Amino acid sequence: MAVVLVNGLVCKDPKLVQANDFFFSGLHLAGNTSNVVGSKVTPVTVAQLPGLNTLGISMVRIDYAPWGINPPHTHPRATEILTVLEGSLQVGFVTSNLENHLITKVLQKGDVFVFPVNLIHFQRNVGYGNAVAIAALSSQNPGVITIANAVFGSKPAIPSDLLAKAFQVDENIIVRMQSKF
Ligand SMILES: *[C@@H]1O[C@H](CO)[C@@H](O)[C@H](O)[C@H]1NC(C)=O
């Protein structure tokens, strides 16, 4: 039988579909936040849960060490709605040109916040202990563009003199930033 691909992924013969195609286990486990940003995203997208394909939805667990951040990033294909399970999070997103308005708020356990599709957003643990959030995204394959990694960590690198002009700083500052990503 021919293999049918939808969005580049296998669309299984309905007769062969099993419960496990719609199942993922593990969001009770804390992610390892021992890294430079102090946070860890555990994704449950179509890559982890094949049955999500074409359904336009996915989920993540995010763990934060004290003062850990989920650095500024965007999801090119999804709006994100987030709730805090433990701790306190400062969240924010920035609107587009010309306003570039920062919309930010401190969330407590049980609070819910939405990050509109494509806008640059972030979270930071502002409590004393660890923080945990669960977010849902309006795509099975939301994609993620982490701003610093894309701008300063591209392979090959964006010319440093170009970035120096774009960011209005000395080129040696750009070279230093590029060496971090
Ligand atoms: C967490 O990650 C750090 C850094 O990679 C590693 O040294 C440590 O063993 C990990 N801890 C656990 C519990 O996996």
Side-chain angles (χ1 to χ4, degrees):
M1 184 180 175
V3 173
V4 177
L5 298 185
V6 179
N7 300 327
L9 297 169
V10 172
C11 191
K12 217 170 172 179
D13 180 342
K15 290 188 219 53
L16 301 176
V17 160
Q18 297 174 329
N20 278 346
D21 295 323
F22 300 90
F23 173 77
F24 173 91
S25 177
L27 281 198
H28 60 302
L29 299 172
N32 185 343
T33 59
S34 296
N35 53 57
V36 287
V37 291
S39 76
K40 181 69 180 181
V41 176
T42 305
V44 188
T45 69
V46 72
Q48 292 77 31
L49 204 170
L52 284 176
N53 200 17
T54 75
L55 296 182
I57 197 165
S58 59
M59 176 177 268
V60 298
R61 170 182 172 137
I62 315 170
D63 288 277
Y64 310 83
W67 296 103
I69 65 162
N70 187 8
H73 63 280
T74 84
H75 302 293
R77 290 178 291 277
T79 287
E80 172 175 349
I81 185 166
L82 175 147
T83 188
V84 179
L85 298 188
E86 290 297 339
S88 306
L89 291 181
Q90 180 188 14
V91 298
F93 67 84
V94 181
T95 68
S96 58
N97 293 349
L98 296 167
E99 291 77 13
N100 294 303
H101 183 195
L102 172 64
I103 310 282
T104 184
K105 191 167 176 64
V106 173
L107 307 183
Q108 310 297 342
K109 186 171 176 167
D111 292 350
V112 177
F113 198 81
V114 63
F115 304 105
V117 59
N118 243 314
L119 296 184
I120 293 179
H121 60 282
F122 58 83
Q123 300 102 38
R124 170 164 65 170
N125 180 1
V126 291
Y128 290 101
N130 294 330
V132 184
I134 293 280
L137 297 112
S138 61
S139 167
Q140 68 274 1
N141 182 19
V144 55
I145 299 169
T146 303
I147 306 307
N149 300 56
V151 174
F152 298 108
S154 70
K155 292 171 200 71
I158 298 174
S160 51
D161 61 324
L162 184 158
L163 290 179
K165 195 171 273 187
F167 285 84
Q168 297 285 296
V169 294
D170 274 5
E171 193 174 344
N172 58 45
I173 294 174
I174 298 294
V175 170
R176 246 168 59 210
M177 292 178 78
Q178 287 177 319
S179 73
K180 306 264 186 201
F181 293 95

PDB file of all heavy atoms in Angstrom, residues 60-91:
ATOM      1  N   VAL A  60       3.414  22.054  25.461  1.00  0.00           N
ATOM      2  CA  VAL A  60       4.762  21.965  26.026  1.00  0.00           C
ATOM      3  C   VAL A  60       4.680  22.105  27.539  1.00  0.00           C
ATOM      4  O   VAL A  60       3.755  22.718  28.070  1.00  0.00           O
ATOM      5  CB  VAL A  60       5.721  23.066  25.491  1.00  0.00           C
ATOM      6  CG1 VAL A  60       5.920  22.955  23.987  1.00  0.00           C
ATOM      7  CG2 VAL A  60       5.246  24.464  25.870  1.00  0.00           C
ATOM      8  N   ARG A  61       5.666  21.496  28.210  1.00  0.00           N
ATOM      9  CA  ARG A  61       5.913  21.784  29.625  1.00  0.00           C
ATOM     10  C   ARG A  61       7.191  22.623  29.670  1.00  0.00           C
ATOM     11  O   ARG A  61       8.159  22.330  28.960  1.00  0.00           O
ATOM     12  CB  ARG A  61       6.131  20.495  30.407  1.00  0.00           C
ATOM     13  CG  ARG A  61       6.631  20.753  31.829  1.00  0.00           C
ATOM     14  CD  ARG A  61       6.888  19.470  32.603  1.00  0.00           C
ATOM     15  NE  ARG A  61       7.532  19.818  33.867  1.00  0.00           N
ATOM     16  CZ  ARG A  61       7.229  19.297  35.049  1.00  0.00           C
ATOM     17  NH1 ARG A  61       6.304  18.378  35.141  1.00  0.00           N
ATOM     18  NH2 ARG A  61       7.866  19.683  36.140  1.00  0.00           N
ATOM     19  N   ILE A  62       7.197  23.662  30.500  1.00  0.00           N
ATOM     20  CA  ILE A  62       8.395  24.483  30.648  1.00  0.00           C
ATOM     21  C   ILE A  62       8.770  24.533  32.122  1.00  0.00           C
ATOM     22  O   ILE A  62       7.931  24.861  32.975  1.00  0.00           O
ATOM     23  CB  ILE A  62       8.196  25.919  30.116  1.00  0.00           C
ATOM     24  CG1 ILE A  62       7.484  25.905  28.763  1.00  0.00           C
ATOM     25  CG2 ILE A  62       9.549  26.634  29.992  1.00  0.00           C
ATOM     26  CD1 ILE A  62       7.048  27.274  28.281  1.00  0.00           C
ATOM     27  N   ASP A  63      10.023  24.160  32.409  1.00  0.00           N
ATOM     28  CA  ASP A  63      10.570  24.232  33.769  1.00  0.00           C
ATOM     29  C   ASP A  63      11.547  25.395  33.834  1.00  0.00           C
ATOM     30  O   ASP A  63      12.285  25.651  32.881  1.00  0.00           O
ATOM     31  CB  ASP A  63      11.284  22.928  34.125  1.00  0.00           C
ATOM     32  CG  ASP A  63      10.295  21.806  34.349  1.00  0.00           C
ATOM     33  OD1 ASP A  63       9.752  21.703  35.468  1.00  0.00           O
ATOM     34  OD2 ASP A  63      10.036  21.058  33.380  1.00  0.00           O
ATOM     35  N   TYR A  64      11.556  26.076  34.982  1.00  0.00           N
ATOM     36  CA  TYR A  64      12.428  27.232  35.174  1.00  0.00           C
ATOM     37  C   TYR A  64      13.132  27.102  36.516  1.00  0.00           C
ATOM     38  O   TYR A  64      12.480  26.924  37.550  1.00  0.00           O
ATOM     39  CB  TYR A  64      11.624  28.538  35.218  1.00  0.00           C
ATOM     40  CG  TYR A  64      10.640  28.732  34.097  1.00  0.00           C
ATOM     41  CD1 TYR A  64       9.375  28.148  34.162  1.00  0.00           C
ATOM     42  CD2 TYR A  64      10.944  29.519  32.996  1.00  0.00           C
ATOM     43  CE1 TYR A  64       8.450  28.333  33.148  1.00  0.00           C
ATOM     44  CE2 TYR A  64      10.020  29.711  31.977  1.00  0.00           C
ATOM     45  CZ  TYR A  64       8.779  29.110  32.060  1.00  0.00           C
ATOM     46  OH  TYR A  64       7.861  29.297  31.055  1.00  0.00           O
ATOM     47  N   ALA A  65      14.446  27.238  36.516  1.00  0.00           N
ATOM     48  CA  ALA A  65      15.189  27.391  37.761  1.00  0.00           C
ATOM     49  C   ALA A  65      14.899  28.799  38.288  1.00  0.00           C
ATOM     50  O   ALA A  65      14.406  29.654  37.550  1.00  0.00           O
ATOM     51  CB  ALA A  65      16.681  27.219  37.478  1.00  0.00           C
ATOM     52  N   PRO A  66      15.216  29.070  39.578  1.00  0.00           N
ATOM     53  CA  PRO A  66      15.055  30.447  40.056  1.00  0.00           C
ATOM     54  C   PRO A  66      15.800  31.424  39.140  1.00  0.00           C
ATOM     55  O   PRO A  66      16.962  31.209  38.808  1.00  0.00           O
ATOM     56  CB  PRO A  66      15.679  30.393  41.459  1.00  0.00           C
ATOM     57  CG  PRO A  66      15.463  28.970  41.894  1.00  0.00           C
ATOM     58  CD  PRO A  66      15.650  28.156  40.637  1.00  0.00           C
ATOM     59  N   TRP A  67      15.100  32.457  38.680  1.00  0.00           N
ATOM     60  CA  TRP A  67      15.606  33.478  37.750  1.00  0.00           C
ATOM     61  C   TRP A  67      15.935  32.926  36.363  1.00  0.00           C
ATOM     62  O   TRP A  67      16.535  33.620  35.545  1.00  0.00           O
ATOM     63  CB  TRP A  67      16.791  34.255  38.339  1.00  0.00           C
ATOM     64  CG  TRP A  67      16.334  35.006  39.545  1.00  0.00           C
ATOM     65  CD1 TRP A  67      16.548  34.673  40.855  1.00  0.00           C
ATOM     66  CD2 TRP A  67      15.493  36.158  39.556  1.00  0.00           C
ATOM     67  NE1 TRP A  67      15.890  35.548  41.677  1.00  0.00           N
ATOM     68  CE2 TRP A  67      15.242  36.477  40.909  1.00  0.00           C
ATOM     69  CE3 TRP A  67      14.928  36.951  38.556  1.00  0.00           C
ATOM     70  CZ2 TRP A  67      14.433  37.565  41.288  1.00  0.00           C
ATOM     71  CZ3 TRP A  67      14.134  38.036  38.930  1.00  0.00           C
ATOM     72  CH2 TRP A  67      13.895  38.323  40.284  1.00  0.00           C
ATOM     73  N   GLY A  68      15.534  31.715  36.111  1.00  0.00           N
ATOM     74  CA  GLY A  68      15.699  31.169  34.763  1.00  0.00           C
ATOM     75  C   GLY A  68      14.793  31.893  33.780  1.00  0.00           C
ATOM     76  O   GLY A  68      13.726  32.398  34.145  1.00  0.00           O
ATOM     77  N   ILE A  69      15.219  31.943  32.536  1.00  0.00           N
ATOM     78  CA  ILE A  69      14.413  32.576  31.490  1.00  0.00           C
ATOM     79  C   ILE A  69      14.168  31.603  30.347  1.00  0.00           C
ATOM     80  O   ILE A  69      14.973  30.714  30.077  1.00  0.00           O
ATOM     81  CB  ILE A  69      15.090  33.843  30.904  1.00  0.00           C
ATOM     82  CG1 ILE A  69      16.392  33.488  30.169  1.00  0.00           C
ATOM     83  CG2 ILE A  69      15.336  34.889  31.984  1.00  0.00           C
ATOM     84  CD1 ILE A  69      16.879  34.558  29.224  1.00  0.00           C
ATOM     85  N   ASN A  70      13.027  31.793  29.690  1.00  0.00           N
ATOM     86  CA  ASN A  70      12.812  31.224  28.374  1.00  0.00           C
ATOM     87  C   ASN A  70      13.063  32.395  27.437  1.00  0.00           C
ATOM     88  O   ASN A  70      12.274  33.341  27.401  1.00  0.00           O
ATOM     89  CB  ASN A  70      11.386  30.673  28.263  1.00  0.00           C
ATOM     90  CG  ASN A  70      11.161  29.911  26.970  1.00  0.00           C
ATOM     91  OD1 ASN A  70      12.094  29.657  26.214  1.00  0.00           O
ATOM     92  ND2 ASN A  70       9.915  29.560  26.718  1.00  0.00           N
ATOM     93  N   PRO A  71      14.211  32.397  26.728  1.00  0.00           N
ATOM     94  CA  PRO A  71      14.654  33.611  26.049  1.00  0.00           C
ATOM     95  C   PRO A  71      13.720  34.051  24.921  1.00  0.00           C
ATOM     96  O   PRO A  71      12.929  33.238  24.424  1.00  0.00           O
ATOM     97  CB  PRO A  71      16.031  33.222  25.499  1.00  0.00           C
ATOM     98  CG  PRO A  71      16.035  31.739  25.441  1.00  0.00           C
ATOM     99  CD  PRO A  71      15.111  31.258  26.513  1.00  0.00           C
ATOM    100  N   PRO A  72      13.817  35.322  24.516  1.00  0.00           N
ATOM    101  CA  PRO A  72      12.926  35.846  23.466  1.00  0.00           C
ATOM    102  C   PRO A  72      12.938  34.953  22.219  1.00  0.00           C
ATOM    103  O   PRO A  72      14.005  34.637  21.686  1.00  0.00           O
ATOM    104  CB  PRO A  72      13.510  37.237  23.187  1.00  0.00           C
ATOM    105  CG  PRO A  72      14.092  37.646  24.513  1.00  0.00           C
ATOM    106  CD  PRO A  72      14.688  36.379  25.067  1.00  0.00           C
ATOM    107  N   HIS A  73      11.731  34.572  21.792  1.00  0.00           N
ATOM    108  CA  HIS A  73      11.574  33.694  20.633  1.00  0.00           C
ATOM    109  C   HIS A  73      10.203  33.914  20.027  1.00  0.00           C
ATOM    110  O   HIS A  73       9.349  34.579  20.626  1.00  0.00           O
ATOM    111  CB  HIS A  73      11.751  32.224  21.051  1.00  0.00           C
ATOM    112  CG  HIS A  73      10.723  31.728  22.025  1.00  0.00           C
ATOM    113  ND1 HIS A  73      10.780  31.981  23.378  1.00  0.00           N
ATOM    114  CD2 HIS A  73       9.590  31.007  21.831  1.00  0.00           C
ATOM    115  CE1 HIS A  73       9.735  31.432  23.975  1.00  0.00           C
ATOM    116  NE2 HIS A  73       8.994  30.839  23.061  1.00  0.00           N
ATOM    117  N   THR A  74      10.005  33.369  18.831  1.00  0.00           N
ATOM    118  CA  THR A  74       8.686  33.422  18.206  1.00  0.00           C
ATOM    119  C   THR A  74       8.303  32.036  17.711  1.00  0.00           C
ATOM    120  O   THR A  74       9.167  31.187  17.486  1.00  0.00           O
ATOM    121  CB  THR A  74       8.630  34.384  16.988  1.00  0.00           C
ATOM    122  OG1 THR A  74       9.099  33.695  15.832  1.00  0.00           O
ATOM    123  CG2 THR A  74       9.448  35.627  17.205  1.00  0.00           C
ATOM    124  N   HIS A  75       6.999  31.833  17.549  1.00  0.00           N
ATOM    125  CA  HIS A  75       6.470  30.623  16.905  1.00  0.00           C
ATOM    126  C   HIS A  75       5.831  31.056  15.592  1.00  0.00           C
ATOM    127  O   HIS A  75       4.778  31.708  15.611  1.00  0.00           O
ATOM    128  CB  HIS A  75       5.452  29.922  17.808  1.00  0.00           C
ATOM    129  CG  HIS A  75       6.022  29.530  19.140  1.00  0.00           C
ATOM    130  ND1 HIS A  75       6.994  28.572  19.266  1.00  0.00           N
ATOM    131  CD2 HIS A  75       5.785  29.998  20.385  1.00  0.00           C
ATOM    132  CE1 HIS A  75       7.325  28.457  20.551  1.00  0.00           C
ATOM    133  NE2 HIS A  75       6.608  29.320  21.244  1.00  0.00           N
ATOM    134  N   PRO A  76       6.470  30.736  14.464  1.00  0.00           N
ATOM    135  CA  PRO A  76       5.956  31.233  13.190  1.00  0.00           C
ATOM    136  C   PRO A  76       4.583  30.697  12.817  1.00  0.00           C
ATOM    137  O   PRO A  76       3.904  31.297  11.985  1.00  0.00           O
ATOM    138  CB  PRO A  76       7.013  30.791  12.170  1.00  0.00           C
ATOM    139  CG  PRO A  76       7.830  29.743  12.853  1.00  0.00           C
ATOM    140  CD  PRO A  76       7.741  30.012  14.327  1.00  0.00           C
ATOM    141  N   ARG A  77       4.174  29.591  13.417  1.00  0.00           N
ATOM    142  CA  ARG A  77       2.897  28.999  13.008  1.00  0.00           C
ATOM    143  C   ARG A  77       1.884  28.873  14.142  1.00  0.00           C
ATOM    144  O   ARG A  77       0.857  28.220  13.956  1.00  0.00           O
ATOM    145  CB  ARG A  77       3.151  27.601  12.395  1.00  0.00           C
ATOM    146  CG  ARG A  77       3.852  27.636  11.044  1.00  0.00           C
ATOM    147  CD  ARG A  77       4.135  26.247  10.508  1.00  0.00           C
ATOM    148  NE  ARG A  77       5.145  25.546  11.272  1.00  0.00           N
ATOM    149  CZ  ARG A  77       6.474  25.694  11.088  1.00  0.00           C
ATOM    150  NH1 ARG A  77       6.919  26.500  10.143  1.00  0.00           N
ATOM    151  NH2 ARG A  77       7.331  25.031  11.823  1.00  0.00           N
ATOM    152  N   ALA A  78       2.126  29.493  15.304  1.00  0.00           N
ATOM    153  CA  ALA A  78       1.185  29.239  16.396  1.00  0.00           C
ATOM    154  C   ALA A  78       1.055  30.392  17.388  1.00  0.00           C
ATOM    155  O   ALA A  78       2.035  31.034  17.752  1.00  0.00           O
ATOM    156  CB  ALA A  78       1.600  27.982  17.164  1.00  0.00           C
ATOM    157  N   THR A  79      -0.175  30.578  17.819  1.00  0.00           N
ATOM    158  CA  THR A  79      -0.449  31.332  19.039  1.00  0.00           C
ATOM    159  C   THR A  79      -0.237  30.387  20.208  1.00  0.00           C
ATOM    160  O   THR A  79      -0.415  29.172  20.079  1.00  0.00           O
ATOM    161  CB  THR A  79      -1.899  31.855  18.997  1.00  0.00           C
ATOM    162  OG1 THR A  79      -1.970  32.919  18.044  1.00  0.00           O
ATOM    163  CG2 THR A  79      -2.386  32.348  20.350  1.00  0.00           C
ATOM    164  N   GLU A  80       0.179  30.936  21.360  1.00  0.00           N
ATOM    165  CA  GLU A  80       0.479  30.110  22.536  1.00  0.00           C
ATOM    166  C   GLU A  80      -0.337  30.614  23.717  1.00  0.00           C
ATOM    167  O   GLU A  80      -0.360  31.817  23.984  1.00  0.00           O
ATOM    168  CB  GLU A  80       1.979  30.218  22.841  1.00  0.00           C
ATOM    169  CG  GLU A  80       2.398  29.554  24.144  1.00  0.00           C
ATOM    170  CD  GLU A  80       3.914  29.576  24.342  1.00  0.00           C
ATOM    171  OE1 GLU A  80       4.646  29.914  23.384  1.00  0.00           O
ATOM    172  OE2 GLU A  80       4.363  29.263  25.454  1.00  0.00           O
ATOM    173  N   ILE A  81      -0.966  29.688  24.435  1.00  0.00           N
ATOM    174  CA  ILE A  81      -1.663  30.039  25.676  1.00  0.00           C
ATOM    175  C   ILE A  81      -0.994  29.259  26.803  1.00  0.00           C
ATOM    176  O   ILE A  81      -0.788  28.051  26.689  1.00  0.00           O
ATOM    177  CB  ILE A  81      -3.189  29.802  25.572  1.00  0.00           C
ATOM    178  CG1 ILE A  81      -3.899  30.290  26.833  1.00  0.00           C
ATOM    179  CG2 ILE A  81      -3.543  28.361  25.241  1.00  0.00           C
ATOM    180  CD1 ILE A  81      -5.415  30.393  26.663  1.00  0.00           C
ATOM    181  N   LEU A  82      -0.598  29.982  27.853  1.00  0.00           N
ATOM    182  CA  LEU A  82       0.270  29.412  28.903  1.00  0.00           C
ATOM    183  C   LEU A  82      -0.397  29.559  30.259  1.00  0.00           C
ATOM    184  O   LEU A  82      -1.011  30.591  30.552  1.00  0.00           O
ATOM    185  CB  LEU A  82       1.609  30.152  28.876  1.00  0.00           C
ATOM    186  CG  LEU A  82       2.656  29.827  29.950  1.00  0.00           C
ATOM    187  CD1 LEU A  82       4.063  29.982  29.347  1.00  0.00           C
ATOM    188  CD2 LEU A  82       2.532  30.767  31.147  1.00  0.00           C
ATOM    189  N   THR A  83      -0.254  28.531  31.086  1.00  0.00           N
ATOM    190  CA  THR A  83      -0.701  28.651  32.471  1.00  0.00           C
ATOM    191  C   THR A  83       0.424  28.239  33.420  1.00  0.00           C
ATOM    192  O   THR A  83       1.241  27.378  33.087  1.00  0.00           O
ATOM    193  CB  THR A  83      -1.981  27.845  32.747  1.00  0.00           C
ATOM    194  OG1 THR A  83      -2.439  28.165  34.076  1.00  0.00           O
ATOM    195  CG2 THR A  83      -1.776  26.344  32.662  1.00  0.00           C
ATOM    196  N   VAL A  84       0.470  28.892  34.566  1.00  0.00           N
ATOM    197  CA  VAL A  84       1.501  28.626  35.575  1.00  0.00           C
ATOM    198  C   VAL A  84       0.989  27.544  36.524  1.00  0.00           C
ATOM    199  O   VAL A  84      -0.072  27.707  37.130  1.00  0.00           O
ATOM    200  CB  VAL A  84       1.845  29.907  36.361  1.00  0.00           C
ATOM    201  CG1 VAL A  84       2.896  29.620  37.422  1.00  0.00           C
ATOM    202  CG2 VAL A  84       2.313  31.003  35.417  1.00  0.00           C
ATOM    203  N   LEU A  85       1.749  26.450  36.649  1.00  0.00           N
ATOM    204  CA  LEU A  85       1.382  25.380  37.594  1.00  0.00           C
ATOM    205  C   LEU A  85       2.032  25.595  38.951  1.00  0.00           C
ATOM    206  O   LEU A  85       1.462  25.252  39.983  1.00  0.00           O
ATOM    207  CB  LEU A  85       1.809  24.006  37.059  1.00  0.00           C
ATOM    208  CG  LEU A  85       1.211  23.511  35.755  1.00  0.00           C
ATOM    209  CD1 LEU A  85       1.613  22.059  35.536  1.00  0.00           C
ATOM    210  CD2 LEU A  85      -0.293  23.664  35.729  1.00  0.00           C
ATOM    211  N   GLU A  86       3.270  26.125  38.920  1.00  0.00           N
ATOM    212  CA  GLU A  86       4.013  26.379  40.162  1.00  0.00           C
ATOM    213  C   GLU A  86       4.846  27.632  39.991  1.00  0.00           C
ATOM    214  O   GLU A  86       5.456  27.821  38.933  1.00  0.00           O
ATOM    215  CB  GLU A  86       4.970  25.208  40.485  1.00  0.00           C
ATOM    216  CG  GLU A  86       4.292  23.920  40.900  1.00  0.00           C
ATOM    217  CD  GLU A  86       3.491  24.013  42.185  1.00  0.00           C
ATOM    218  OE1 GLU A  86       3.746  24.935  42.992  1.00  0.00           O
ATOM    219  OE2 GLU A  86       2.582  23.185  42.365  1.00  0.00           O
ATOM    220  N   GLY A  87       4.900  28.460  41.036  1.00  0.00           N
ATOM    221  CA  GLY A  87       5.805  29.604  41.030  1.00  0.00           C
ATOM    222  C   GLY A  87       5.196  30.860  40.424  1.00  0.00           C
ATOM    223  O   GLY A  87       3.979  30.947  40.230  1.00  0.00           O
ATOM    224  N   SER A  88       6.066  31.817  40.141  1.00  0.00           N
ATOM    225  CA  SER A  88       5.671  33.116  39.578  1.00  0.00           C
ATOM    226  C   SER A  88       6.515  33.384  38.348  1.00  0.00           C
ATOM    227  O   SER A  88       7.738  33.229  38.386  1.00  0.00           O
ATOM    228  CB  SER A  88       5.936  34.244  40.576  1.00  0.00           C
ATOM    229  OG  SER A  88       5.322  33.968  41.809  1.00  0.00           O
ATOM    230  N   LEU A  89       5.863  33.810  37.289  1.00  0.00           N
ATOM    231  CA  LEU A  89       6.566  34.088  36.032  1.00  0.00           C
ATOM    232  C   LEU A  89       6.265  35.499  35.565  1.00  0.00           C
ATOM    233  O   LEU A  89       5.095  35.917  35.544  1.00  0.00           O
ATOM    234  CB  LEU A  89       6.106  33.138  34.922  1.00  0.00           C
ATOM    235  CG  LEU A  89       6.458  31.663  34.983  1.00  0.00           C
ATOM    236  CD1 LEU A  89       5.886  30.969  33.744  1.00  0.00           C
ATOM    237  CD2 LEU A  89       7.963  31.467  35.052  1.00  0.00           C
ATOM    238  N   GLN A  90       7.327  36.222  35.183  1.00  0.00           N
ATOM    239  CA  GLN A  90       7.117  37.436  34.401  1.00  0.00           C
ATOM    240  C   GLN A  90       7.070  37.002  32.940  1.00  0.00           C
ATOM    241  O   GLN A  90       7.971  36.292  32.470  1.00  0.00           O
ATOM    242  CB  GLN A  90       8.268  38.423  34.593  1.00  0.00           C
ATOM    243  CG  GLN A  90       8.050  39.692  33.771  1.00  0.00           C
ATOM    244  CD  GLN A  90       9.254  40.619  33.773  1.00  0.00           C
ATOM    245  OE1 GLN A  90      10.358  40.246  34.168  1.00  0.00           O
ATOM    246  NE2 GLN A  90       9.028  41.846  33.326  1.00  0.00           N
ATOM    247  N   VAL A  91       6.019  37.402  32.249  1.00  0.00           N
ATOM    248  CA  VAL A  91       5.883  37.053  30.829  1.00  0.00           C
ATOM    249  C   VAL A  91       5.770  38.339  30.023  1.00  0.00           C
ATOM    250  O   VAL A  91       5.425  39.400  30.574  1.00  0.00           O
ATOM    251  CB  VAL A  91       4.626  36.182  30.579  1.00  0.00           C
ATOM    252  CG1 VAL A  91       4.719  34.866  31.339  1.00  0.00           C
ATOM    253  CG2 VAL A  91       3.345  36.934  30.920  1.00  0.00           C
TER     254      VAL A  91
END
